[in-house]
Amino acid sequence: MDCINIGLIGYGVVGQGVVKALKSRRKFLREKYETDFFIKTICDRSIFKKPNPGLENTALTVDYHAILKDPDIHVVVELIGGLSPAKEIVLGALRAKKHVVTANKALIAECGLELFKEAETQGCSILFESSVGAGVPIIRTITEGMAGNKFNGVYGIINGTCNFILTAMSKHKLTFAQALKEAQEKGYAESNPSLDISGMDAAYKLAILVFITMGKFVSVKDIYVEGINHISHEDIEFAESLNLSICLLAIAKKTGNKLDVRVHPTMIPKDHGLATVNGVDNAIFLDTDPLGDVFIEGQGAGQMTAAMGVVADLINLGIRVDAPACIWAFNPADEVANLTLRKIEEVETRFYIRFMVIDKPGVLASITTVLGQHNISIASVSQKQEDKGSTVPVVILTHKANEREVKEALEKITELAVVKGKPVAIRMEKL
Ligand code: HSE
């Protein structure tokens, strides 16, 4: 195709980045791909509320139907986020036989199956590289570059804001609030940053990764999600002294016919590749067969990195417009059919547990008695020496323990008079 007419819906941070990237590269793209990537129309509900320098040759509208009805538009780029009206827009575009590029993780995670079926029916493509890891080529690497492999595990640092905060707390000694403010100022966080901090943003991305690797649609409400707002300097420092590092990890792990899907702060060995992922970078570590371990890393949030994922999708559409793109690489169908989700209460992991206790004889014995009653075996115990008479932190690393047992034991231990405040429990992964 010598000209691809694009209808862009959503002219926020990423939308503006896409326009900037396509304009500055138009000549280069024309020469390299013999295709003109032309943004014909932009739709945004606020488009007339401010001046739009540089958009003199672009039609502007507040009504997305103008794009869906335009027979000259080949591709709709949806960048408004959320489910409604994004779903109506994407379905409408596909039914009008237009290809779709979207960065909308919530939409793909929640409605992907329906949208992919519609795309197939209409003979169109729906591409979503920027929905996970922004422009870091995670989706295409898996769906195309790793096609034919089986996927046993996916471990991802897939929220740039959380990784930025944890890195800033650990390396630059910032407080949680200072680090969050900086992430927001740099444009990494969602408009509602609680989606990042609570782990929900990573859960949407994990649902997409599970689908493209293991072929199973998992609703985000079935993913166990825990955010990072209870992580303190104290735990970061303890982790360091134990040669561990804390990250918000999205995990999908297959053992037999059971699949763990969870997002939570996790302590991982300091010498693992994932522990070296700093700042706003995202990374995924894939356990595959027969290819083995694969690691992908790059900047996973920010205007231009997100925009470049969209641009890569547009170029891929441009060069394969008559052949719908692959959207999955996943495991054999019979394995997928038998795969069931493991409930969080059934999960077994090692734990880091920090108790604040009164420093006097017999305290440790009272804690370890409760742990023993719940079949929780201790791997190590350490205590930081503080001023006499004050409370002191005691850190226990457990061997593999059952979630339900740990939860019950911690409830009982919290009630002990010698224990002050709620214990902090952080799961550990060996990887
Ligand atoms: N807010 C997201 C993050 C970027 O911090 O990773 C977009 O997915």
Side-chain angles (χ1 to χ4, degrees), residues 105 130-131 158-162 188-190 196 201 205 282 300-302:
K105 61 213 144 210
S130 259
S131 63
I158 46 179
N159 184 268
T161 302
C162 287
Y188 303 145
E190 296 298 300
D196 297 295
D201 177 85
K205 294 168 180 170
N282 280 196

Side-chain angles (χ1 to χ4, degrees), residues 336-349:
V336 176
N338 292 328
L339 205 55
T340 56
L341 295 189
R342 195 193 311 274
K343 291 201 171 70
I344 188 69
E345 305 82 60
E346 294 162 10
V347 168
E348 295 203 341
T349 55

Side-chain angles (χ1 to χ4, degrees), residues 21 26 33 61 63 96 144 146 156 161 174 212 241 244 246 255 309 333 352 383 410 429 431:
R26 196 165 174 191
Y33 299 104
T61 178
D63 178 10
E144 300 189 19
M146 298 181 72
T161 302
L174 295 194
I212 64 169
S241 70
L244 297 165
I246 305 179
T255 28
Y352 158 102
Q383 178 186 315
L410 293 188
E429 279 294 322
L431 297 167

